[in-house]
Amino acid sequence: MASNLEEAIAEAGSPVQLLWNSQSPPAVVPRVVPEFRNWRDEQLAWRRTAVLYDQSHHMADLNIKGPDALKLISDTGVNSVANFPVDMAKQYVAVSPDGFVIGDNILFHLDEDEYQAVGIPPSINWLHFHAATGGYDVQITRDDNSLYRSGDPLLYRYQIQGPGAPEIIEALTGEEPPKLKFFHMTHFTIAGKDVRALRHGMAGEPGYELWGPWADNDAVHGAIVEVGERYGLVQVGGRAYHTNALESGWLPRPLPAIYSDERLADYRRWLTENAYETTSPLGGSFYSDDIEDYYFTPFELDYGRIVKFDHDFIGREALEARVADGKTDTRRKVTFVWNGEDTGDAFASMFRPGPGAKFFNLPMALYDTFHYDRVESADGRIVGVSTWTGYSANERAMLSLGAVEPEFAEPGTELVLVWGEDRPTAKVQVEEHVPVRIRVTVQPAPLTEEARTSYRSDAGVR
């Protein structure tokens, strides 16, 4: 039996076969109820009033403390750390030696020589591995998500988002919130507890991320719910939570580019047989035997603005070569707006005799963790891929995020997305079905102008 990712790949015959036939279910939001009201009302509330996201359970936290903490971050991330004071956060992005994206997380500068990385496992594992094996003078404290951890998390983490968020914070704290730049931090007192706060925004709406020790959770959460009720605050369940990325334009789960490079063999041996990268299922209508066809460059995910060559980091030479060769515009991140008639017909086919088009488990319509559908031009050529897929009640449309060749990235361009797999798979989530062709219209990512402009900064954040 395989004891690590490298051995699991060898047993399966290739990384594609390992992931394509994974028996694991797709990643979900654990320990959060699926719906507090209904997912449509929860989606609408983040644009109309305000919502409360519970982020305490589905992400991993990695606390990095010590004299070499900033050096570890600088050596492994594309971000510049030249301007990274205490009480500021950055969107940390890591790439492989070949310059393909491994993953991203939000990195908080908590105190002198102390940082907290928060996100899904790929970039957390990357940082953890290098901290453990790279000879850095750091101490690591890791708290995995509630699928892997037994017991409660070390920290609670919530977000209050929406046009009513500042008013709710003022009512909770008894004072007007300070004028913070995006991704800057402060402290609040809520229910007598010290609460750390990050000026944030999701789906283009104003808001704050709040966190503190789990022992304070009941008091802080209770106060937020009680006070927020007077201002129309709606709690968001696990079903609607992931759909906010469809509107904010952040592509959450690119396949980490760790499966093929021989220089990463030791890393693959470090990742266990139960690691996220070993067990997560890969699926969709796009299929290739070459795992590298599933990789993204940071430029394709709109992270070119984050990449800074003012420091040495893993993958720098590869990214510099791409810039020098003019290969930074191979594909562009976009939003695909699905044609309503085609989507409705595909959805209705589930209720007719025969296999039909399956997997429309709204609001998120993913049956795997790493999802890739092929996107075709009018002549049937594959010109891009679609990944994160779901329904937005705010836009009254199915949306997905992906990347297409530049000539097809102009807003208003009509393409065709193939929904459903035409390759055999052992994934337990894939039932008998017929792939369908759905017209999609290309739009910007983020979809809303507010999300594209006012809540982003030049500090290297999403």
Side-chain angles (χ1 to χ4, degrees), residues 409-422:
E410 185 68 25
T413 302
E414 188 172 284
L415 300 169
V416 173
L417 182 150
V418 180
W419 176 251
E421 297 179 2
D422 52 14

Side-chain angles (χ1 to χ4, degrees), residues 39 239 338-352 355-367 371 373 389-391 397-400 417-420 429-440:
W39 58 263
R239 294 188 69 190
W338 294 26
N339 178 275
E341 291 182 1
D342 293 356
T343 304
D345 187 61
F347 190 88
S349 73
M350 293 194 297
F351 304 97
R352 303 185 193 120
K358 303 293 186 182
F359 323 124
F360 282 102
N361 184 23
L362 300 180
M364 289 304 294
L366 300 180
Y367 51 89
H371 188 81
D373 283 327
T389 302
Y391 181 80
M398 284 287 292
L399 306 174
S400 59
L417 182 150
V418 180
W419 176 251
Q429 300 82 16
V430 177
E431 54 197 311
E432 184 185 5
H433 68 281
V434 172
V436 295
R437 299 173 64 80
I438 296 174
R439 287 170 290 171
V440 295

Side-chain angles (χ1 to χ4, degrees), residues 361-400:
N361 184 23
L362 300 180
M364 289 304 294
L366 300 180
Y367 51 89
D368 40 34
T369 297
F370 304 125
H371 188 81
Y372 289 74
D373 283 327
R374 65 182 186 264
V375 176
E376 301 176 352
S377 60
D379 60 3
R381 184 169 68 87
I382 297 176
V383 297
V385 292
S386 167
T387 62
W388 204 241
T389 302
Y391 181 80
S392 166
N394 289 302
E395 299 296 332
R396 298 185 62 84
M398 284 287 292
L399 306 174
S400 59

